[in-house]
Amino acid sequence: MEVVSKLAAMACAAILVAACGQSRFPASPSVGIPTQAPRTRIAPNGPCVLVGSARAPGSNGSNAPLEVGKSPDYAVVIWVPGLNARPCRAAMTRIGKSAANALAGAIDAAPLFPKGTFNCPADDGGAADVYFAYRGAPSVARVWISLAGCRPVVMEDRWPRQLDSSIMDLLRASAPQAWEHYLSS
């Protein structure tokens, strides 16, 4: 009986913390931290594609702005190759606590993506798929940063933000050489 009471008290405390907005953890669906870069292949019609990996998350009509969450312990970045990348390879880097905190803060401070209809430059699909890890949290915040086209910064069920120079500067520090051209302008 005592175990049930302790579990109930912990569940109530977690609900109250989340409801009052005091949690430092992101409000995103549970996903795992990648342990290796995904496989890629050249499709029969020519583009470089990821094999069996998730694509950019969608906002599903949400107007709630993207917020990564405060104080990540580290982040893992999956560098997604563009459609014309040769060699056709994804890469993975890990960034430490201070760089992950700076990147999370830059994303949260970036301007919201505009609403309406507009034209975007060509988008070859090159991206940084960032997974922020939090101490004590069973999930991570997954943020997809498009490095071409209109350059949205996307999280599941959140209104996107825009990729700006502060985010680009922070990504540049851990970018593999094949992705540097995306972050130079």
Side-chain angles (χ1 to χ4, degrees):
M1 191 68 153
E2 184 176 319
V3 171
V4 173
S5 297
K6 286 182 181 179
L7 285 174
M10 289 188 326
C12 289
I15 291 169
L16 284 173
V17 167
C20 295
Q22 298 301 312
S23 176
R24 68 181 184 111
F25 306 123
S28 64
S30 180
V31 295
I33 295 279
T35 57
Q36 63 185 10
R39 291 181 326 142
T40 57
R41 68 178 177 85
I42 297 177
N45 58 347
C48 176
V49 295
L50 297 178
V51 175
S53 292
R55 295 287 180 213
S59 66
N60 297 326
S62 175
N63 286 320
L66 183 158
E67 291 182 358
V68 174
K70 302 212 182 312
S71 302
D73 286 342
Y74 66 93
V76 169
V77 183
I78 298 296
W79 296 93
V80 178
L83 296 172
N84 297 315
R86 300 297 185 270
C88 177
R89 281 191 213 118
M92 184 177 89
T93 57
R94 180 180 164 129
I95 58 177
K97 186 175 183 80
S98 62
N101 275 284
L103 182 57
I107 291 170
D108 286 350
L112 291 175
F113 201 79
K115 294 185 181 189
T117 303
F118 44 89
N119 294 318
C120 294
D123 187 348
D124 71 350
D129 192 8
V130 184
Y131 296 77
F132 291 94
Y134 295 83
R135 182 185 326 244
S139 64
V140 300
R142 177 179 178 234
V143 178
W144 182 279
I145 302 172
S146 293
L147 300 174
C150 282
R151 297 179 168 190
V153 178
V154 183
M155 177 186 273
E156 189 74 33
D157 294 330
R158 295 288 183 257
W159 188 260
R161 294 191 180 269
Q162 291 179 295
L163 176 60
D164 64 11
S165 61
S166 63
I167 297 169
M168 287 176 37
D169 290 345
L170 292 163
L171 286 174
R172 192 177 300 115
S174 66
Q177 186 174 7
W179 282 264
E180 290 175 355
H181 72 278
Y182 289 111
L183 303 168
S184 62
S185 57

